[in-house]
């Protein structure tokens, strides 16, 4: 099976669903992570051009730990909009990967870049399945089930499905620590241990479903994306 996780910024995927993606890889599935935005505004001191390259390296390092392919649409932070140009970028990614399942942000997430990516993925996953919709060199993709991952701190998110990540929580946190530009800044400047933050959220979701640690999801309830198959590991 081919799994495609489309997040906004480098580190968003590690926060919300890296444990699940690592489980997919361990089961023998191929996983691709795509970041729509490049994270270039994610620091108050490091200049955007320098940070853009730094965060790409951090994302590649994180993916390598779990055997995940990492790509980017390279859109600037706070420049993500559900317009045709960016939709076509995401269509190209979907048609290149040909996923059996897509995971992305919830429509109710906490910032405009995240909600824009959610809308982009919904729109692009439909457009990618239309044979005569022009977008690059790749053929049309099949209609793909779509899952929304947890919001930051689980705010305004009511899960309907859970994945037990007890056996991958340590790897998830190791992947998160690869994003040094963000983790160090939050510890030193904001006095937030973000690794502890993320682990606490995973423990809370685990308590809800009776396991040590878990990640939470909801399916996109739109025809014809629904399926009788269990798509999550």
């Amino acid at each position: 099976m081919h799994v495609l996780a489309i997040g906004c910024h480098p580190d968003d995927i590690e926060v919300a669903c890296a444990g699940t993606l690592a489980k997919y890889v361990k089961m023998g599935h191929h996983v691709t992570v795509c970041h729509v935005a490049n994270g270039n505004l994610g620091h108050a001191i490091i200049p955007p051009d320098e940070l853009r390259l730094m965060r790409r390296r951090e994302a590649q390092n994180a993916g390598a730990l779990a055997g995940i392919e990492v790509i980017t649409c390279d859109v600037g932070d706070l420049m993500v909009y559900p317009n045709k140009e960016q939709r076509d970028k995401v269509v190209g990614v979907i048609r290149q990967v040909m996923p059996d399942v897509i995971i992305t942000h919830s429509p109710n997430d906490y910032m405009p870049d995240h909600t824009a990516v959610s809308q982009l993925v919904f729109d692009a996953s439909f457009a990618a399945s239309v044979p005569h919709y022009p977008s690059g060199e790749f053929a049309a993709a099949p209609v793909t089930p779509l899952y929304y991952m947890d919001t930051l701190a689980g705010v305004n998110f009511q899960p309907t499905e859970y994945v037990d990540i007890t056996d991958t929580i340590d790897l998830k946190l190791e992947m998160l620590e690869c994003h040094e530009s963000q983790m160090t800044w939050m510890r030193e400047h904001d006095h937030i241990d973000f690794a502890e933050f993320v682990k606490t959220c995973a423990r809370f979701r685990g308590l809800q479903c009776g396991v040590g640690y878990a990640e939470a999801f909801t399916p996109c309830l739109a025809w014809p994306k629904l399926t009788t198959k269990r798509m999550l590991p």
Side-chain angles (χ1 to χ4, degrees):
M1 187 163 72
H2 286 78
V3 179
L4 175 60
I6 304 178
C8 189
H9 310 96
D11 81 2
D12 287 335
I13 292 298
E14 282 75 12
V15 171
C17 69
T20 297
L21 299 185
K23 285 181 73 81
Y24 275 125
V25 174
K26 288 186 175 184
M27 295 168 64
H29 302 303
H30 183 271
V31 177
T32 302
V33 165
C34 175
H35 304 114
V36 174
N38 56 30
N40 66 332
L41 299 184
H43 205 282
I45 297 174
I46 302 172
D49 289 346
E50 180 182 344
L51 186 62
R52 168 179 168 267
L53 298 177
M54 184 182 298
R55 298 199 70 184
R56 183 177 295 186
R57 288 193 299 270
E58 292 170 347
Q60 294 285 349
N61 291 339
L65 288 177
I68 293 171
E69 180 183 4
V70 179
I71 58 178
T72 180
C73 292
D74 200 23
V75 177
D77 283 5
L78 296 178
M79 297 298 292
V80 182
Y81 301 103
N83 58 30
K84 184 179 186 304
E85 178 185 1
Q86 294 183 30
R87 182 182 67 197
D88 287 353
K89 286 178 181 284
V90 179
V91 167
V93 169
I94 294 171
R95 287 180 169 179
Q96 180 179 358
V97 175
M98 288 290 187
D100 297 288
V101 61
I102 299 173
I103 298 172
T104 193
H105 291 285
S106 166
N108 297 319
D109 215 335
Y110 80 106
M111 66 166 297
D113 278 355
H114 288 203
T115 56
V117 166
S118 183
Q119 186 66 54
L120 274 172
V121 173
F122 180 85
D123 295 350
S125 64
F126 182 89
S129 70
V130 178
H132 293 293
Y133 183 81
S135 178
E137 59 185 293
F138 301 104
V143 174
T144 309
L146 175 63
Y147 287 82
Y148 297 123
M149 57 194 182
D150 212 344
T151 59
L152 191 64
V155 175
N156 199 29
F157 189 85
Q158 186 62 48
T160 56
E161 300 205 32
Y162 296 88
V163 175
D164 182 356
I165 63 161
T166 307
D167 61 341
T168 56
I169 182 65
D170 290 339
L171 178 55
K172 170 186 172 79
L173 296 175
E174 188 179 356
M175 293 170 69
L176 184 63
E177 291 289 357
C178 287
H179 297 273
E180 296 178 24
S181 65
Q182 307 304 294
M183 302 298 284
T184 300
W185 175 259
M186 283 188 283
R187 286 185 175 119
E188 294 181 354
H189 182 267
D190 297 330
H191 307 295
I192 298 173
D193 186 337
F194 200 56
E196 181 184 30
F197 180 112
V198 170
K199 187 174 184 179
T200 299
C201 292
R203 178 68 184 120
F204 174 66
R205 292 307 190 194
L207 287 169
Q208 290 182 323
C209 60
V211 301
Y213 295 92
E215 290 172 340
F217 302 87
T218 59
C220 173
L221 299 177
W223 186 89
K225 297 182 182 299
L226 304 177
T227 177
T228 59
K229 299 177 182 178
R230 167 73 181 184
M231 303 303 295
L232 297 170

